[in-house]
């Protein structure tokens, strides 16, 4: 049987080895850009507008918790292009009235639009045609994979009962670093950009 001195020496060597491994991991960790949340070597900030876009629409993103941890999530890119008070991000799956009273009140407003391709959703362009040019909207968007976004929608009656809209645009995603489920599917960033271009009457928003 090994004596205490040998055991202590072995433990010391193991701890030293773990410490070296952790040190290597720390050194290997890539620096992240504070604005776009991408690794510094592939920072996207040069492609962003010099200042946040001036819009009348307020965007509310209901992000699935797992999506927040994904490296390729597009919400940080969206937040980097909009004023802070025009891009509100919630992070949950079940948005109860007790915990999210303000959101539930918002969803009852006729000026609030939930962007989700439900069977009862109206073409967003038709909604804009029927409203005045001075109308200001709230745009609520479930965010995550398609499965996660569907889960958020299905688990929240308030979303299902709200005014729903969809995009009937013949577009293909340019976000090639993450696979889309169908050829006409868009990332959250792209879908919101298209929706804002329609709501604001500014086609150039989709080019940002």
């Amino acid at each position: 049987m090994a004596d205490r001195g040998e055991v202590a020496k072995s433990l010391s060597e193991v701890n030293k080895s773990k410490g070296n491994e952790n040190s290597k991991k720390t050194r290997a960790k890539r620096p992240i850009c504070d604005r776009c949340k991408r690794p510094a070597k592939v920072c996207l900030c040069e492609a962003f507008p010099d200042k946040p876009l001036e819009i009348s629409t307020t965007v509310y993103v209901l992000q699935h918790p797992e999506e927040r941890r994904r490296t390729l999530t597009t919400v940080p890119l969206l937040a980097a292009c909009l004023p802070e008070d025009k891009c509100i991000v919630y992070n949950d799956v079940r948005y109860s009235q007790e915990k999210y009273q303000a959101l539930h009140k918002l969803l009852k407003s006729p000026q609030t639009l939930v962007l989700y391709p439900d069977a009862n959703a109206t073409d967003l362009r038709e909604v804009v045609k029927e409203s005045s040019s001075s109308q200001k909207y709230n745009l609520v968007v479930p965010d995550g994979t398609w499965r996660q976004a569907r889960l958020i929608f299905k688990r929240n009656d308030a979303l299902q009962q709200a005014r729903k809209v969809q995009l009937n645009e013949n577009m293909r995603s340019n976000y090639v670093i993450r696979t889309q489920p169908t050829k006409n599917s868009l990332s959250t960033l792209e879908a919101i950009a298209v929706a804002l271009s329609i709501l604001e009457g500014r086609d150039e928003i989709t080019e940002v």
Side-chain angles (χ1 to χ4, degrees):
M1 181 180 291
D3 60 27
R4 293 182 178 180
E6 291 177 341
V7 172
K9 183 178 180 181
S10 296
L11 289 174
S12 177
E13 291 176 349
V14 170
N15 289 333
K16 183 177 180 181
S17 176
K18 288 182 177 179
N20 289 337
E21 289 178 3
N22 290 334
S23 178
K24 289 179 181 179
K25 288 180 180 179
T26 300
R27 288 198 302 270
K29 188 175 182 180
R30 296 176 296 179
I32 302 297
C33 173
D34 290 335
R35 188 182 182 195
C36 70
K37 308 303 180 185
R38 289 292 190 271
K41 287 187 176 181
V42 291
C43 174
L44 300 174
C45 291
E46 287 188 1
F48 294 165
D50 295 332
K51 59 181 182 179
L53 297 174
E54 294 183 5
I55 57 175
S56 62
T57 306
T58 303
V59 179
Y60 293 83
V61 179
L62 308 187
Q63 189 176 56
H64 192 284
E66 291 181 12
E67 181 68 13
R68 185 177 185 179
R69 295 188 288 269
R70 291 178 182 271
T71 303
L72 300 180
T73 179
T74 60
V75 169
L77 309 183
L78 173 71
C81 297
L82 300 180
E84 287 187 14
D85 64 339
K86 294 297 183 181
C87 183
I88 313 299
V89 182
Y90 292 106
N91 195 253
D92 215 330
V93 176
R94 180 75 174 87
Y95 293 87
S96 66
Q97 186 166 1
E98 293 74 20
K99 188 176 180 181
Y100 296 96
Q101 294 182 11
L103 177 61
H104 275 255
K105 182 178 180 180
L106 184 84
L107 288 168
K108 293 178 181 179
S109 169
Q111 283 73 49
T112 296
L113 308 174
V114 175
L115 185 60
Y116 187 83
D118 179 69
N120 297 319
T122 305
D123 182 353
L124 182 57
R125 289 193 181 276
E126 293 301 319
V127 172
V128 172
K129 285 180 181 179
E130 296 173 0
S131 62
S132 65
S133 58
S134 60
Q135 180 69 67
K136 296 181 180 180
Y137 287 103
N138 303 304
L139 184 68
V140 179
V141 187
D143 174 55
T145 63
W146 278 97
R147 180 185 64 80
Q148 292 167 348
R150 187 182 302 112
L151 182 64
I152 291 174
F153 184 78
K154 295 298 184 183
R155 286 196 177 180
N156 295 276
D157 291 341
L159 288 177
Q160 298 176 44
Q161 295 167 6
R163 191 178 183 187
K164 297 174 289 294
V165 295
Q166 61 184 339
L167 302 173
N168 290 332
E169 311 296 307
N170 186 20
M171 300 179 66
R172 290 197 176 190
S173 176
N174 290 317
Y175 195 59
V176 295
I177 59 176
R178 187 169 176 181
T179 304
Q180 303 300 334
T182 68
K183 65 179 183 179
N184 290 325
S185 297
L186 302 175
S187 67
T188 299
L189 173 65
E190 292 171 317
I192 292 176
V194 173
L196 287 177
S197 72
I198 297 172
L199 292 170
E200 301 289 324
R202 295 164 54 190
D203 292 340
E204 69 272 14
I205 290 179
T206 58
E207 303 301 323
V208 174

